[in-house]
Amino acid sequence: MLIGLCFAIFVGQGLYLVNWHTLVGDEVIHVVAGVLFWRTGVFEGGFDNPPLLQYLFGLPYELGLSSYELVSTQLPTAARLVNLLFGAILCAVIGVFSFKLHGKFGAALSLSLAVLSPSLLAHSSISTLDIGVAVFITAGFCCLFIGSKSPKPW
């Protein structure tokens, strides 16, 4: 029950913040790179940017779930919802990792703190690459930890 309540709080606050934030400079670059990739097949998202997240930011527009003009000041709400999903996945990974480290109480405490973190909520409600990268790094450490506790040969 606590897990469901935590995720409901996180998603509820995130949905409010998705439309509350103004347009951020990085957002335009990442969303446009994703939309252009799906429309042209060419990736021009920059040298240091991981392309997977930008592809996913452009996916809702390619599927027709929302429209996005490349030169506009409209909020990229659909791309922000993709990042909110990554934020929820990050909270889940934090809960699982904490459960493996500290048991039920540690998982409940970590998950509660994660869903109420203003920084995590703020970055999850705009379409930048920060949360997606944090998901993959945290999940990688979680898998490394779990694998090191019970190593098995191939």
Side-chain angles (χ1 to χ4, degrees):
M1 183 169 138
L2 178 65
I3 294 172
L5 179 64
C6 285
F7 281 107
I9 289 171
F10 182 80
V11 171
Q13 289 179 347
L15 288 174
Y16 172 74
L17 290 174
V18 160
N19 291 316
W20 184 77
H21 285 293
T22 58
L23 194 61
V24 178
D26 287 359
E27 250 180 334
V28 175
I29 296 167
H30 301 313
V31 174
V32 168
V35 170
L36 284 175
F37 168 75
W38 289 107
R39 290 185 184 170
T40 65
V42 177
F43 176 70
E44 294 292 336
F47 296 112
D48 297 331
N49 295 325
L52 175 63
L53 299 170
Q54 293 177 339
Y55 297 158
L56 293 175
F57 289 158
L59 185 61
Y61 305 107
E62 177 63 22
L63 296 175
L65 302 176
S66 182
S67 63
Y68 187 74
E69 297 298 323
L70 293 179
V71 181
S72 71
T73 57
Q74 77 184 59
L75 292 178
T77 305
R80 287 179 171 188
L81 292 175
V82 170
N83 210 33
L84 185 62
L85 176 66
F86 273 107
I89 292 170
L90 179 59
C91 289
V93 170
I94 289 170
V96 168
F97 197 13
S98 184
F99 177 77
K100 293 292 185 181
L101 286 171
H102 304 292
K104 289 181 183 178
F105 179 75
L109 181 64
S110 297
L111 184 61
S112 299
L113 292 173
V115 300
L116 296 175
S117 168
S119 181
L120 185 59
L121 276 166
H123 286 276
S124 294
S125 60
I126 57 175
S127 47
T128 58
L129 306 178
D130 304 332
I131 293 297
V133 171
V135 167
F136 290 113
I137 290 172
T138 308
F141 276 118
C142 184
C143 291
L144 183 66
F145 176 77
I146 292 170
S148 68
K149 289 295 181 185
S150 59
K152 297 177 185 169
W154 293 87

